Amino acid sequence: MSTITVTNIKATGETASRSATSVAAAWCNFNGSGTPAFRDSFNHSSLTDNGTGDFSPVMTNAMANINYAQSASMSRATDADTDSINTNNATGADVAPTTTTYRFGALQFGTGGVDVTFVNFAIHGDLA
């Protein structure tokens, strides 16, 4: 495998370029209902189901440190109740991320943990 070192990247057809460091280091899209499974992912090797609405995706390539940025979104096909995702706080107590995994909980207000139909997660930071 070859390595190309660049400062900025621009996809074919794009007008603007962007910093190569702002490209996601890892991302995943998975079904969090029933038996959780990736629909598609980059730099993820597995997905752990810790309980109702409690997930731990595992990255293939480690991050340089635990100070990476996480962003997530989710939705459920069954109803329109207000839900939230709590990163690194799935069990009601802080769960520190590691360089290869992070934990989060999908919560329904007033109810607690809830399985969700669509989960999207992205990690930005430096790979080890």
Side-chain angles (χ1 to χ4, degrees), residues 102-118:
Y102 50 95
R103 189 167 177 173
F104 67 92
L107 304 172
Q108 180 178 19
F109 293 130
T111 304
V114 62
D115 284 342
V116 290
T117 311
F118 300 98

Side-chain angles (χ1 to χ4, degrees), residues 6-97:
V6 299
T7 303
N8 293 306
I9 59 173
K10 181 172 75 170
T12 302
E14 287 185 340
T15 306
S17 65
R18 60 189 173 276
S19 168
T21 59
S22 65
V23 175
W27 59 264
C28 62
N29 174 318
F30 68 89
N31 180 356
S33 182
T35 302
F38 289 121
R39 290 185 182 93
D40 200 359
S41 67
F42 171 72
N43 194 21
H44 280 88
S45 59
S46 63
L47 176 63
T48 302
D49 183 0
N50 302 305
T52 303
D54 185 357
F55 310 100
S56 295
V58 179
M59 291 180 274
T60 305
N61 299 295
M63 300 300 290
N65 55 55
I66 64 167
N67 299 317
Y68 48 85
Q70 305 171 28
S71 58
S73 65
M74 66 166 191
S75 65
R76 291 193 297 156
T78 57
D79 60 45
D81 286 350
T82 304
D83 300 316
S84 69
I85 286 184
N86 290 335
T87 58
N88 302 320
N89 192 4
T91 60
D94 288 336
V95 178

